[in-house]
Amino acid sequence: MAHIDLPEPLPGIRGLMAFRPFTAQPLNLLAEVLLRTDEGLSKGERELIATFVSSLNDCFFCQNIHGAVAQYYAKEDETLVEKVKRDYENAPISEKMKALLSIAASVQKGGKFVTESQVEKAKNLGATDIEIHDTVLIAAAFCMFNRYVDGLATFAPTDPEMYKARAKKIAEETGYALAKPQ
Amino acid sequence: MPYISLDEHLPGITGLLEYRQDTAKPIRELTQILLRGDSTLTQGERELIATLVSSKNQCKFCTAAHTAAADLLLGESETCELVKQDYENAPISAKMKALLAIAALVQQNGKNVTFEAITRAKEAGATDMEIHDTVLIAALFCLYNKYVDGLATFTPSNPEFYEKLGERIVNLGYNRPKYGFDEIKKQNESLIQSIS
């Protein structure tokens, strides 16, 4: 049971957004601008960073919904998200993405854990300033979203099909800014 | 040296928020609602939550900036100092102690917030909205702290810089200044130079 009385039995962050629509608006907008663009990093790569950080934070709802969105974009490999969560260093992703995921993992531990050599490695593999910026901000933003969702003990459905269906809707129709809590 | 190329006269979070203004906009709005919007918690109490979390994340820039804001809003600097050292024995209400305890757990991980911590806050009179906002402020400052330190932004060491910044966030809030940052850059230039 959630720690506060939510108006509707909606899963994860959606119940919280129904509780306080005023703060929901910028939260959704932040997810929209950070995740729903292919400039620099693709939508799929952005969702992968979000999923990876949520999995490090052990946030069930966030890693499953963003994992489903990331998997939606990775049509050529049905188990890509699982592989990245289990062992990204040996997953079938670019070397640049591995370097960016290592930065994301350091951000999850604490901003100060990001080292100059990690950043240099990413740059040598072709990562631009804006890609490094976006990686750090996506990782930091999911440290917020995960804490919000788990800190208030929201419930998360266990049926993977629910996440798949929602992910398809987010990817094809609503995005995050237009997504209604219902 | 920051890991990406940022305006050298906009230290800490300020340079990052100018670097990508489309992501900055919702972050600024969220902060304005949570720290300056209508609430049954005072602005000073909300700045104390932001300061405690920043201090636990060892983010020097955010800790100094929000300490300066809290001090101005509370009209003294002792409370914030004691909150950072040991909030359970600081001169604040039992409700604030319980809310700060929740914020401290959120800083570790959302899952660490216990039923007992929530019950304590409710018994001390905290409403659901106050608990909600405490958790979201704590989570938001984890974003800020990781963003600021994860990109190795510049942290000025002279207290006058933070006094000015504190005044700005107390008087003007968290929205982007209407006239941009030209004046602030000039001000910062002399502030930062004055110590180097």
Side-chain angles (χ1 to χ4, degrees), chain B residues 17-179:
Chain B
L17 294 177
E18 282 300 279
Y19 180 77
R20 213 187 138 177
Q21 290 183 27
D22 62 340
T23 48
K25 195 169 175 279
I27 297 174
R28 284 182 177 283
E29 273 173 23
L30 181 61
T31 313
Q32 181 68 17
I33 294 169
L34 285 171
L35 296 189
R36 295 290 177 273
D38 288 343
S39 170
T40 44
L41 297 174
T42 67
Q43 295 188 11
E45 287 172 330
R46 289 176 271 165
E47 290 287 351
L48 285 178
I49 299 170
T51 306
L52 179 73
V53 170
S54 301
S55 144
K56 292 209 171 281
N57 279 325
Q58 295 175 36
C59 181
K60 285 189 186 150
F61 184 90
C62 299
T63 306
H66 294 280
T67 297
D71 288 352
L72 275 175
L73 288 162
L74 298 173
E76 41 90 9
S77 57
E78 198 181 335
T79 302
C80 190
E81 199 47 50
L82 292 170
V83 161
K84 283 184 278 184
Q85 283 170 25
D86 176 13
Y87 62 85
E88 290 289 1
N89 292 305
I92 50 174
S93 68
K95 182 178 84 176
M96 266 311 285
K97 287 180 190 176
L99 292 176
L100 288 172
I102 292 172
L105 294 169
V106 170
Q107 184 268 334
Q108 297 169 1
N109 186 302
K111 283 189 157 38
N112 290 12
V113 179
T114 57
F115 178 73
E116 289 71 30
I118 298 288
T119 307
R120 177 187 169 195
K122 288 184 181 173
E123 282 175 0
T127 63
D128 276 9
M129 189 58 86
E130 288 170 345
I131 292 169
H132 169 278
D133 282 9
T134 297
V135 170
L136 189 49
I137 292 169
L140 172 63
F141 277 82
C142 288
L143 176 155
Y144 273 128
N145 302 157
K146 286 166 188 283
Y147 190 23
V148 163
D149 283 339
L151 288 163
T153 60
F154 174 54
T155 305
S157 52
N158 50 328
E160 306 83 58
F161 171 83
Y162 297 97
E163 281 165 26
K164 280 266 176 285
L165 180 55
E167 278 170 28
R168 215 162 73 219
I169 53 186
V170 167
N171 296 329
L172 305 173
Y174 291 97
N175 293 324
R176 187 173 186 273
K178 236 190 235 161
Y179 304 107

Side-chain angles (χ1 to χ4, degrees), chain A residues 52 56 88-89 95-128 132 135-136, chain B residues 3 149-151:
Chain A
F52 177 60
L56 293 176
Y88 71 91
E89 288 287 3
E95 291 304 309
K96 182 179 86 177
M97 265 306 283
K98 288 179 191 175
L100 292 176
L101 288 175
S102 109
I103 292 174
S106 294
V107 171
Q108 186 268 338
K109 278 193 244 168
K112 288 191 200 328
F113 286 81
V114 180
T115 64
E116 221 172 317
S117 68
Q118 277 181 306
V119 175
E120 206 175 312
K121 189 174 176 189
K123 286 185 179 175
N124 288 338
L125 290 164
T128 61
I132 290 166
T135 298
V136 170
Chain B
Y3 292 147
D149 283 339
L151 288 163

Side-chain angles (χ1 to χ4, degrees), chain A residues 19-20 66 102 163 177:
Chain A
F19 177 83
R20 185 109 149 88
H66 292 282
S102 109
Y163 294 99

Side-chain angles (χ1 to χ4, degrees), chain A residues 31 33-59 62-71 73-74 80-86 88 91 93-109 114 122 127-146 176, chain B residues 20 146:
Chain A
V33 286
L34 265 181
L35 300 178
R36 306 260 309 152
T37 171
D38 292 312
E39 253 175 80
L41 300 172
S42 70
K43 290 189 198 76
E45 288 171 328
R46 290 163 190 274
E47 293 285 352
L48 215 45
I49 297 168
T51 305
F52 177 60
V53 169
S54 302
S55 126
L56 293 176
N57 280 325
D58 197 24
C59 181
C62 297
Q63 68 176 292
N64 279 287
I65 186 61
H66 292 282
V69 180
Q71 194 55 64
Y73 291 117
L80 181 71
V81 171
E82 272 320 300
K83 287 174 191 151
V84 167
K85 283 205 284 189
R86 207 178 318 126
Y88 71 91
I93 52 175
S94 69
E95 291 304 309
K96 182 179 86 177
M97 265 306 283
K98 288 179 191 175
L100 292 176
L101 288 175
S102 109
I103 292 174
S106 294
V107 171
Q108 186 268 338
K109 278 193 244 168
V114 180
T128 61
D129 272 17
I130 190 89
E131 288 172 350
I132 290 166
H133 168 275
D134 286 4
T135 298
V136 170
L137 185 50
I138 292 168
F142 277 82
C143 287
M144 170 181 72
F145 288 125
N146 299 162
Y176 296 104
Chain B
R20 213 187 138 177
K146 286 166 188 283

